[in-house]
Every structure is written in C-alpha cells, then in structure tokens.
Amino acid sequence: MPPSPSSAQDPVPAPRRPLRTERLLLRPVRGGDLPAVTRLWTDPDVRRHLGGPVTGPVIRIRQRRIVGAPGFHAVVRAEDGVLLGLVTVEDGGRDGETEVSYQFLPEHWGHGYAREAVGAAVVRALETAPSVVAVTQEANHRSRRLLESVGLEHAESFVEWDAHQVLYRRRAGRRNPCTEEL
C-alpha cells in the first residue's frame, strides 16, 4: 500500500530544517549555544531597540524554552561554527502572519551576515506562507535598511511599547533581491 500524504516520510517542518547559505548555517538552538544567546539577550547594544537587556528570571525561562524550539534558528558561521546570532520565524505571529525577527552579536555587525541569514529565512518562510512580516523600531535605521534589502516593504507605522514601530511585509511571489547581483 502506498504511504499516505501524512506519513513519516514527510519532510521536517521548515522551522526545524537546517538552512544553509553561502557562509552560514541556520539550525535549531543547542545547549552549547546558550552562553552566546544569553549575551544577545543581555547586551545593551543588541537590545537598544528591543526594550533593553533581559533580566535574570526571564533569561532562565528563555534558556529552558529555546533549546530545540521550532522557529528559533541559531545562525552559525559555516567555516568555524561560531554563533553569530538568532533568526526567529514564528508562524501565526502578528495577526496570523509569519513573522521574522533577528538579533546578532555586535562583533558580527557590518559583515552582511544578518542580511544573508534573514534573507534566507524569508525566502524559506515564503515557500509555505503567503506573506512574511517583520517589525522594528522606527529609530532602528540599520534594521530598516536590512529589511528593505531583503525585499520587505513598509506596510504600516504605529506606536507600541511606547515607541514608534514600523511593520514591513513581503508577499509570496515578489522578487528576491537576495539572489540578484548587488
């Protein structure tokens, strides 16, 4: 008898399947990643537009929840396995749309890693989702440029958490600037 469409042969859901780019590997978070991930949550520069550093009790809760959790991708440099940051893909996030967010350690800023990782995550998400959204503070100009560079477009502005926010969106079927020559 042929296998049913929902058999064990189905591929692993997109948020759990590792994703490779030219220089990076996006994979589930492992226990050994927690020191670098904790730095992401506590670094004032990383958290400048994310509500500030996270405190001890919240860190412990997050540490227990993030290891192997669907949607959380450790971004590691393929050549040496160094953790550079996190990219999160949340199905059914903001208003039911797939939402992408990211954080990278400051020593890895300015090398194009975030653009490469976020661009790949957006393309992967659009394989199954009709659209992808991302939100950043209006004042976070670097993040806004990054989101625009991977094909997300300004969709709306609003105030949340006492700060001006910008929602970006990219719908499936739109051009992919990540695969075009720069």
Side-chain angles (χ1 to χ4, degrees):
M1 176 180 265
S4 70
S6 60
S7 73
Q9 294 178 8
D10 288 342
V12 175
R16 300 282 300 181
R17 201 172 66 212
L19 176 60
R20 294 185 188 279
T21 69
E22 183 178 330
R23 301 180 295 165
L24 308 173
L25 172 65
L26 283 71
R27 58 156 173 77
V29 177
R30 301 174 183 159
D33 298 330
L34 289 178
V37 171
T38 300
R39 273 193 58 219
L40 286 168
W41 296 331
T42 58
D43 185 286
D45 289 329
V46 173
R47 302 290 304 173
R48 176 175 292 125
H49 299 288
L50 297 170
V54 178
T55 60
V58 174
I59 290 170
R60 287 187 288 285
I61 292 167
R62 285 184 177 189
Q63 287 174 332
R64 284 192 302 270
R65 292 182 178 169
I66 195 169
V67 174
F72 288 91
H73 300 278
V75 179
V76 297
R77 200 166 36 217
E79 71 182 45
D80 59 10
V82 169
L83 189 134
L84 310 173
L86 287 177
V87 172
T88 305
V89 180
E90 183 182 3
D91 293 326
R94 185 171 295 270
D95 296 327
E97 291 186 271
T98 298
E99 186 170 359
V100 173
S101 60
Y102 55 94
Q103 301 172 58
F104 279 75
L105 293 166
E107 63 267 27
H108 304 298
W109 294 356
H111 301 283
Y113 295 131
R115 181 183 188 274
E116 187 174 329
V118 172
V122 166
V123 168
R124 165 75 61 85
L126 289 171
E127 289 175 0
T128 56
S131 63
V132 171
V133 296
V135 176
T136 190
Q137 282 190 7
E138 186 176 282
N140 191 345
H141 300 288
R142 289 179 74 157
S143 184
R144 293 181 68 188
R145 283 192 306 271
L146 183 147
L147 293 171
E148 291 166 1
S149 77
V150 299
L152 279 81
E153 297 174 344
H154 178 252
E156 88 183 70
S157 298
F158 55 95
V159 175
E160 186 176 66
W161 307 107
D162 297 322
H164 292 273
Q165 309 286 335
V166 182
L167 180 131
Y168 285 86
R169 178 178 289 116
R170 180 168 161 197
R171 298 194 189 283
R174 305 280 285 189
R175 70 177 186 83
N176 178 7
C178 295
T179 60
E180 298 172 0
E181 281 294 318
L182 298 177

